[in-house]
Amino acid sequence: MKVEELVDKVASGEVKLHQVEKYTKDKRLATEVRRKALEKKLGVSLENIGHYSIDPEKVIGKNIENMIGVVQIPMGVAGPLKINGEYAKGEFYIPLATTEGALVASVNRGCSALTAAGGVRTTIIDDKMTRAPLLKCPDARKAREVAEWVKANIDYLQEKAVSKVTRHGKLRDVKPFIVGNNLYLRFEFETGDAMGMNMVTISSEEIMKVIEEEFPDVKYLALSGNLCVDKKPNAMNFINGRGKTVIAEAVIPREIVEKKLKTTPELIAEVNYRKNLVGSAQAGSYGFNAHFANIVGAIFLATGQDEAQITEGSHGITLAEVTPEGDLYISITMPSLEIGTVGGGTRVPTQREALSIMGVAGSGEPAGTNAKKFAEIIAGAVLAGELSLLAAIAAKHLAKAHKELGR
């Protein structure tokens, strides 16, 4: 079939969007056919969407379906930011993909102040990926019996189920929740440098097979019972964590606050208390912070992370206080930073290049170290963003900055 004829058939609906590859045998050509069919049917030009360097052969079927091209987002860098972490050590440039004017400049200013103060200290508190399948039991006592059996057989389930489907995932614990005759098993896995959702999903399904064999009167209903919790605002992850739980903190001398940020430690601490803590409490927010999501979102888009998990990445607390010496102590706590340096969107060449800017593309040695290094860099960048925005609000410079850079 000629290309023009295929475009007509797709535009008319005779050939479905997902069927085009059957006729072209070429994913790049299929992408062009779908785009041209849309242009013809809708009477629009998609010229810019059709300019890209990504190879459709490598992403269709792995990262995208019904591909017609790409959306380009401007990417800038902030930094250098000095990080004194357990995995990230040295100065780093942070890639930020955004269309929000003033964001990169603001993070860059925070990086400058933090680096001048000696850098950011980062600490990883926990590292796990979770999945919480739902089992329907005859009654609550049976649910408790199953939960106790699962808790006592973690090593058995690793050998019998998890090791069958992954070489990298390790089941480390389970937290059961019982509601009536419903049993939710929140499994916790180690997933190396991968964010790990596919890994833990496949592993959890294998575990369900073992449980149903052991308890024939228990019915496996859903692979996710919504206590994981994935891609939704929630208290579970805020309290118990998911992905990397990481803290970034710094002490900034008064003279740097006054010279670089044009305000005082006292004003930043007061704005943080009244805005991020009291204001967020009044709003019923899980984000006791100024704008974690801005920085997390820009890094996620730049580096091929799951953009829906910006939701949990926005959870967290910013603290600021004046030290006995009159300097500024500031910290951010991120309980649920779900990121990886292998798999998923990190395979896309542009996103992999962005990861390489920070020296975290691909697997670490040993496994898991690259993802932890990446988490520390993100936390440092978030701290820079929080510091800069709080200072701008305290100095009443926020509107001015957006007038100059956001219009």
Side-chain angles (χ1 to χ4, degrees):
M1 190 185 305
K2 292 184 178 180
V3 171
E4 294 78 9
E5 183 183 356
L6 182 56
V7 169
D8 289 339
K9 288 182 179 292
V10 175
S12 68
E14 186 178 340
V15 174
K16 303 298 183 185
L17 291 172
H18 69 272
Q19 295 174 328
V20 177
E21 279 85 355
K22 294 180 181 178
Y23 297 91
T24 64
K25 309 300 182 185
D26 180 308
K27 292 177 181 178
R28 184 176 290 276
L29 180 57
T31 299
E32 183 180 344
V33 167
R34 277 188 288 264
R35 186 173 63 256
K36 287 184 174 179
L38 277 180
E39 288 179 324
K40 185 168 188 175
K41 183 170 185 176
L42 302 176
V44 297
S45 172
L46 305 178
E47 179 184 358
N48 291 304
I49 289 174
H51 289 292
Y52 53 87
S53 62
I54 293 169
D55 185 356
E57 295 288 342
K58 294 181 179 179
V59 296
I60 293 176
K62 292 181 179 178
N63 301 102
I64 192 69
E65 301 80 38
N66 296 346
M67 184 173 172
I68 63 168
V70 302
V71 169
Q72 299 181 77
I73 303 174
M75 184 167 70
V77 292
L81 174 61
K82 184 177 181 181
I83 299 179
N84 307 309
E86 297 169 297
Y87 300 90
K89 302 175 189 292
E91 293 192 347
F92 298 90
Y93 288 92
I94 299 118
L96 300 159
T98 182
T99 55
E100 181 182 346
L103 177 60
V104 176
S106 178
V107 176
N108 197 63
R109 182 174 78 140
C111 290
S112 176
L114 288 166
T115 299
V120 180
R121 183 181 176 90
T122 52
T123 305
I124 291 182
I125 304 300
D126 198 6
D127 180 12
K128 60 177 179 286
M129 182 47 63
T130 61
R131 183 52 98 191
L134 164 61
L135 293 159
K136 181 182 178 182
C137 303
D139 52 39
R141 289 189 183 178
K142 189 65 175 185
R144 184 181 66 185
E145 179 188 344
V146 176
E148 290 174 348
W149 182 86
V150 172
K151 286 194 292 183
N153 285 277
I154 295 296
D155 291 342
Y156 173 72
L157 291 171
Q158 170 68 32
E159 180 183 351
K160 182 79 172 178
V162 179
S163 61
K164 285 174 58 178
V165 293
T166 176
R167 292 181 293 110
H168 304 289
K170 182 179 180 182
L171 177 64
R172 73 173 205 185
D173 203 359
V174 63
K175 299 291 191 302
F177 298 85
I178 299 171
V179 181
N181 62 347
N182 299 295
L183 172 60
Y184 304 84
L185 294 169
R186 192 174 191 256
F187 292 113
E188 300 178 357
F189 294 85
E190 296 174 5
T191 60
D193 285 303
M195 182 270 283
M197 272 309 309
N198 288 341
M199 190 187 302
V200 304
T201 296
I202 295 167
S203 296
S204 295
E205 186 161 65
E206 287 299 312
I207 292 172
M208 290 300 99
K209 294 175 184 177
V210 175
I211 292 174
E212 283 192 310
E213 288 176 6
E214 189 74 22
F215 300 95
D217 55 345
V218 170
K219 185 178 181 181
Y220 158 47
L221 277 184
L223 189 52
S224 171
N226 265 16
L227 265 77
C228 308
V229 177
D230 194 33
K231 304 175 184 178
K232 291 170 278 293
N234 66 92
M236 177 69 74
N237 293 1
F238 190 86
I239 296 167
N240 294 313
R242 188 173 194 249
K244 311 294 189 283
T245 298
V246 58
I247 294 171
E249 57 190 342
V251 175
I252 307 165
R254 175 177 291 273
E255 62 188 52
I256 292 177
V257 175
E258 293 175 348
K259 182 178 179 180
K260 286 186 172 288
L261 302 175
K262 313 304 181 186
T263 185
T264 66
E266 288 82 4
L267 272 174
I268 289 178
E270 183 172 11
V271 168
N272 185 72
Y273 167 68
R274 298 186 186 279
K275 168 186 167 63
N276 286 342
L277 304 185
V278 178
S280 296
Q282 179 66 19
S285 176
Y286 291 126
F288 289 79
N289 59 73
H291 67 150
F292 280 20
N294 254 337
I295 297 89
V296 171
I299 296 175
F300 272 34
L301 292 174
T303 60
Q305 308 305 306
D306 190 327
E307 65 273 13
Q309 290 176 329
I310 297 167
T311 304
E312 299 99 289
S314 70
H315 292 175
I317 300 171
T318 299
L319 296 178
E321 59 188 62
V322 181
T323 69
E325 295 76 26
D327 300 323
L328 175 68
Y329 168 84
I330 186 167
S331 72
I332 59 99
T333 299
M334 306 182 75
S336 186
L337 183 58
E338 298 148 324
I339 52 96
T341 60
V342 298
T346 68
R347 292 182 293 232
V348 180
T350 47
Q351 281 79 343
R352 190 174 179 86
E353 287 177 8
L355 287 167
S356 73
I357 291 172
M358 297 172 284
V360 295
S363 297
E365 183 59 47
T369 53
N370 257 9
K372 289 174 181 174
K373 178 181 177 182
F374 186 28
E376 292 187 336
I377 295 170
I378 294 174
V382 169
L383 182 63
E386 288 289 289
L387 173 64
S388 185
L389 180 53
L390 287 171
I393 293 171
K396 299 182 174 63
H397 291 164
L398 180 61
K400 178 183 177 183
H402 277 270
K403 284 178 183 177
E404 293 177 353
L405 297 173
R407 286 187 171 182

